[in-house]
Amino acid sequence: MRLLDPSDFGLVALAAAFTNTVDALSVLGVQDALMREPNPDRDMYDSAFGIGILRGLGTAAIIAACAWPVASFFNEPRLSVVLLALAAGTLLSAFENIGTVNFRRHMTFQKEFHLQVFGRVVGVVATIAMAWIWQNYWALVVGQLATRVVRLGQSYVMSAYRPRFTIRAWRSLIGFSLWTWAVVMVLQIRNRADSFIIGREMTTADLAAFTVGQEIGSLPVTEMIEPLHRTLFSAFVLLHHDDTNPRDTYLNVVEAGFLLILPVGVGISLIADPLVHLMLGERWLTTIPVVQLLAVASTISIFGTVSDAVNAAAGNLRVNFQLYAISAAIRVPLLLWLVSSDGLWGAAVALTLSAVADQALFVGVTMRRMRIGLGQFVARLWRPTLACGAMVAALWAAGMAWTATPVVATLAMGGDMLARSGLGALAYSAALTLLWFAAGRPDGAERYLLGMAGKVLRCGRASA
């Protein structure tokens, strides 16, 4: 980020927002349909592959055809060429090996993890290398294309399945897929509204500042919650096939996820100032308040994520569609109102308010469907909440909570960020442990995590 101008990042962010929106509007969810099918045959796999290719061709053609009109709409001539490059990347992704869906079907999440992460790492390295050489927005485009190329190659190296083009079994996939498409469509309206509204009302530099701030603030979501959703969908599908009530699993996952994600999100918010100074530099300081607000808001996403996975695994996509439609109807007007009146801060407030409404909707519906009482739900969350409060109090007392970094040297800024992070982690862990003992050491996330830590220590001693 230090090598690129905010307007460069804003340009690519705008292009990516449009590309991802068009791409998502043609998603048919054939992989999820395969996941829910107890015994899919080869025709179903190959038809999913064929549908994916047709979808990719159509999506790439639409993006390419819209490149110049979109550039004119946003008054950004450079946007057209960037959109053409991203259209090529979309076409490449259409040829990924459908056999990788078996990683989730067979619960081999190590392979799924490598598939998701390795390409992103290569893309980041390519972006940094090209940024050093070119120092313009093409570094970001090359990074995105590199990620797609690597993932395409990985899909054939990691899976022995070799797909053939056909759409013979499309009828077996399309029923579930239509509801998946509807959910994705309304999600795109909700999730991309901020980019289009800010991109239209403000400058590309403003859009870049908000996008980067949102990405940093949403790290708990992108790095922890979204991968968890893929795993949970697979697990809940198995429970559905076995006719097992997912109620206890739902509560256990919410408890463990909240315990881990809450301190991360609040912690990012607390150290936002030294974090932005260190990672991005002086040109990106307008992102700090965005990070501070959205990092806290991101922590509650665990509730909707787990609820979404439960509904999708049971085939209740109509419920998800209705909830996301209500969410979009809340978020878009809020963005239109608050962006025009308060700029980037208004956009962050709009996303925060709509996130609270989202999670309340999902939790309320899921609790009613599973017959979970409010007391049962709160009992799983009060210890992490109080422990996080203790973390904030400790940093506040030390003058490190939501304060500007008092140093300017890069090494000193890194030390300041590490000091805040270390104090926060220590305060949270100590408070959580004391609260767990005070509650009589009940079964729950704390006991599970302590057991996992014990296993890691025993393995370490054995290997030594």
Side-chain angles (χ1 to χ4, degrees):
M1 291 300 180
R2 289 176 173 268
L3 300 172
L4 301 176
D5 189 79
S7 62
D8 289 333
F9 192 92
L11 172 68
V12 178
L14 191 57
F18 178 78
T19 302
N20 292 337
T21 299
V22 175
D23 183 51
L25 291 179
S26 61
V27 165
L28 291 175
V30 291
Q31 289 199 10
D32 288 349
L34 285 175
M35 285 288 302
R36 294 192 71 253
E37 183 67 29
N39 297 296
D41 56 22
R42 183 177 180 94
D43 268 358
M44 292 187 70
Y45 278 92
D46 291 345
S47 295
F49 178 70
I51 291 170
I53 290 177
L54 294 176
R55 171 184 165 272
L57 287 167
T59 301
I62 292 171
I63 294 170
C66 293
W68 285 274
V70 169
S72 176
F73 177 79
F74 287 103
N75 195 28
E76 180 51 80
R78 300 174 298 171
L79 192 58
S80 57
V81 184
V82 175
L83 284 171
L84 291 176
L86 296 185
T90 300
L91 183 58
L92 278 174
S93 296
F95 289 86
E96 285 186 15
N97 188 355
I98 191 64
T100 58
V101 75
N102 285 331
F103 299 164
R104 286 192 290 155
R105 280 188 59 85
H106 301 152
M107 307 288 279
T108 52
F109 293 120
Q110 183 178 5
K111 290 184 177 181
E112 176 75 7
F113 175 79
H114 287 308
L115 184 66
Q116 295 295 323
V117 171
F118 185 69
R120 292 171 64 180
V121 171
V122 172
V124 169
V125 172
T127 299
I128 294 172
M130 292 301 101
W132 275 105
I133 297 171
W134 293 336
Q135 296 193 8
N136 64 28
Y137 58 89
W138 281 109
L140 298 167
V141 177
V142 168
Q144 292 194 34
L145 294 178
T147 298
R148 291 178 182 266
V149 170
V150 170
R151 185 180 166 96
L152 174 64
Q154 269 189 291
S155 70
Y156 287 92
V157 171
M158 296 179 66
S159 174
Y161 188 82
R162 292 296 175 260
R164 297 173 297 195
F165 180 88
T166 185
I167 56 170
R168 281 195 298 265
W170 68 270
R171 289 183 180 85
S172 302
L173 301 169
I174 209 67
F176 184 81
S177 299
L178 283 175
W179 274 113
T180 300
W181 173 80
V183 169
V184 170
M185 184 171 65
V186 76
L187 269 175
Q188 287 305 301
I189 295 172
R190 188 195 73 161
N191 293 345
R192 303 295 174 186
D194 53 355
S195 295
F196 293 121
I197 292 171
I198 295 172
R200 179 67 175 172
E201 296 291 328
M202 305 175 75
T203 67
T204 53
D206 291 323
L207 176 59
F210 184 80
T211 302
V212 172
Q214 186 181 26
E215 287 187 0
I216 296 174
S218 300
L219 284 174
V221 176
T222 56
E223 303 306 317
M224 301 173 71
I225 296 179
E226 288 179 0
L228 177 65
H229 181 274
R230 297 173 67 87
T231 304
L232 288 175
F233 179 76
S234 303
F236 286 132
V237 164
L238 290 177
L239 291 176
H240 181 69
H241 287 165
D242 295 339
D243 291 327
T244 303
N245 191 331
R247 178 178 174 277
D248 289 339
T249 302
Y250 171 82
L251 288 171
N252 291 337
V253 171
V254 165
E255 179 184 9
F258 191 67
L259 183 147
L260 294 172
I261 290 163
L262 180 63
V264 175
V266 175
I268 290 173
S269 177
L270 291 167
I271 66 169
D273 190 277
L275 181 64
V276 171
H277 273 91
L278 186 64
M279 288 180 58
L280 307 179
E282 299 294 323
R283 292 182 294 180
W284 295 86
L285 298 186
T286 53
T287 67
I288 292 173
V290 176
V291 174
Q292 289 174 333
L293 186 55
L294 294 185
V296 175
S298 70
T299 60
I300 61 175
S301 297
I302 182 66
F303 306 131
T305 297
V306 182
S307 300
D308 176 286
V310 169
N311 291 332
N316 296 324
L317 289 179
R318 181 177 179 179
V319 174
N320 285 349
F321 172 77
Q322 292 169 340
L323 293 175
Y324 285 129
I326 296 171
S327 172
I330 294 171
R331 178 173 296 191
V332 174
L334 279 174
L335 281 167
L336 289 168
W337 171 37
L338 292 174
V339 168
S340 63
S341 62
D342 297 295
L344 297 185
W345 175 250
V349 171
L351 262 60
T352 300
L353 293 175
S354 64
V356 172
D358 293 351
Q359 305 312 305
L361 285 169
F362 270 102
V363 169
V365 169
T366 304
M367 288 174 62
R368 188 181 75 249
R369 292 173 67 90
M370 292 189 177
R371 298 183 180 179
I372 298 172
L374 181 61
Q376 294 173 296
F377 193 79
V378 172
R380 302 293 188 118
L381 308 178
W382 70 269
R383 291 192 300 275
T385 302
L386 291 181
C388 195
M391 178 181 77
V392 173
L395 285 168
W396 190 277
M400 295 179 172
W402 296 298
T403 55
T405 180
V407 295
V408 293
T410 300
L411 187 60
M413 279 191 289
D416 180 39
M417 189 176 71
L418 288 175
R420 299 185 193 210
S421 302
L423 177 59
L426 181 62
Y428 179 78
S429 301
L432 186 65
T433 302
L434 289 173
L435 289 168
W436 184 58
F437 273 92
R441 297 188 298 171
D443 288 335
E446 295 95 340
R447 187 179 294 278
Y448 175 77
L449 292 174
L450 285 172
M452 290 294 293
K455 289 180 182 178
V456 171
L457 288 174
R458 286 193 294 272
C459 290
R461 289 171 184 166
S463 62

